[in-house]
Amino acid sequence: MKQIILPVLSAKSRKPMSENILIELKGLTKRYGYGDTETFALKDFDLEIRRGEFIMIMGPSGCGKTTLLDIIGLLDRATRGEYILNGEDVAGISARRQAKLRAKKIGFVFQNFNLIEDLPIIENVALPLVYTGYTKTSRLKQASRALARFHLQEREYYYPYQLSGGQQQRVAIARAIVGSPEIILADEPTGNLDSHSSHIVMEELKNIHEEGNTIIMVTHNPALTVYATRVINMLDGQIDTDVKTVADANLPQPISVKIKRKKKKAAEKAALEAAIELPEPSTKNPTKSKKAESRRKK
Ligand SMILES: Nc1ncnc2c1ncn2[C@@H]1O[C@H](COP(=O)(O)OP(=O)(O)OP(=O)(O)O)[C@@H](O)[C@H]1O
Ligand SMILES: [Mg+2]
């Protein structure tokens, strides 16, 4: 009898929305100073960030944008509150573990590029890979590939001062993405650039976002919000407005997840084929069926 067993699709194959939450901030507060000098850079700040969001953070000077990015980037700690990254509470983990997580998961782009002046740009780009265990040759190869992506391959051995501001920022973006982090944090990355260079830098960030990465960027320029999937306006350490321009379901997926899904589909197809029992070859005339078998093989 022909038996068909359909593989049971596990509940996991339908990814619950909560699995797409990358960052959760709950009651995050950052206080500086005491008594008369006490200031709150962040006040009971709550935020949920999904994978694939391109968030732009805006707001007046001093409202806490950089403080927020520094805490998300594990460069600074909140005075109190929870920070959950990929389901793990990272607010209280050791500085060593924070540094490891930072190296693996987060790439930074700053307004003033933050390149090391006495290193050629290829070595600047290779810097985040120092903690990864790759050999120096491998690190430089990866840096070279990252620079090529930003059309800077011919300038690998230039020093930062030999490049324009726009080129330096592209080097900084190459450095931010060289370790394939999941999160890119950019604090006014176009703040020191002319409009032409700003446009090039934003197009690069857009491409990185379309590959499924999550970007959180601070800007003072409302014109750049066209690139965002969500715009958050801050005021006095809190969220003033929060507007999503792209539905959660339509956010770009990380490429690795897409590949995993393809593999999963192929595995499911194979399982389905294996589950369909082929009809037994006829045993009436074994010689005939052997001949048929050898014809099939040909
Ligand atoms: N190290 C510090 N010591 C004391 N106060 C600080 C410190 N760092 C930040 N602050 C205060 O925290 C508040 C938020 O600062 P933050 O740098 O996050 O603002 P911002 O929104 O990034 O401003 P800008 O747009 O000017 O960059 C400000 O009032 C600032 O003075
Ligand atoms: Mg700032």
Side-chain angles (χ1 to χ4, degrees), residues 122-143:
I122 187 165
E123 291 195 25
N124 265 285
V125 173
L127 274 177
L129 300 174
V130 167
Y131 308 100
T132 54
Y134 290 112
T135 61
K136 183 157 188 191
T137 318
S138 163
R139 296 200 299 263
L140 291 178
K141 265 193 194 155
Q142 293 180 60

Side-chain angles (χ1 to χ4, degrees), residues 29-170:
T29 296
K30 178 74 181 180
R31 188 194 60 218
Y32 288 109
Y34 292 93
D36 290 349
T37 62
E38 188 178 72
T39 1
F40 286 91
L42 293 175
K43 265 186 258 169
D44 284 325
F45 195 93
D46 295 328
L47 182 63
E48 242 179 41
I49 298 175
R50 285 172 193 280
R51 285 195 173 77
E53 285 197 283
F54 190 156
I55 300 182
M56 289 216 185
I57 311 239
M58 303 188 68
S61 181
C63 71
K65 303 179 297 294
T66 296
T67 306
L68 175 67
L69 236 53
D70 285 352
I71 292 174
I72 292 177
L74 299 165
L75 290 172
D76 197 0
R77 285 176 196 268
T79 313
R80 61 168 187 269
E82 280 178 57
Y83 173 11
I84 296 154
L85 175 60
N86 264 327
E88 182 190 0
D89 189 349
V90 293
I93 60 174
S94 70
R96 201 184 147 87
R97 174 117 178 78
Q98 281 196 333
K100 270 197 172 169
L101 266 180
R102 193 163 59 230
K104 207 169 131 198
K105 295 208 173 287
I106 303 165
F108 292 92
V109 184
F110 301 94
Q111 179 173 359
N112 53 2
F113 324 132
N114 280 13
L115 299 174
I116 296 178
E117 289 297 328
D118 50 12
L119 284 182
I121 61 169
I122 187 165
E123 291 195 25
N124 265 285
V125 173
L127 274 177
L129 300 174
V130 167
Y131 308 100
T132 54
Y134 290 112
T135 61
K136 183 157 188 191
T137 318
S138 163
R139 296 200 299 263
L140 291 178
K141 265 193 194 155
Q142 293 180 60
S144 173
R145 277 201 296 273
L147 281 171
R149 173 177 174 159
F150 298 102
H151 315 292
L152 288 161
Q153 64 272 38
E154 276 146 31
R155 292 183 166 80
E156 285 178 350
Y157 284 91
Y158 278 44
Y159 286 82
Y161 75 90
Q162 294 172 301
L163 301 180
S164 71
Q167 287 168 334
Q168 289 190 53
Q169 195 58 305
R170 273 150 57 209

Side-chain angles (χ1 to χ4, degrees), residues 65-67 187-188 218 220:
K65 303 179 297 294
T66 296
T67 306
D187 198 350
E188 299 191 50
V218 167
H220 281 284

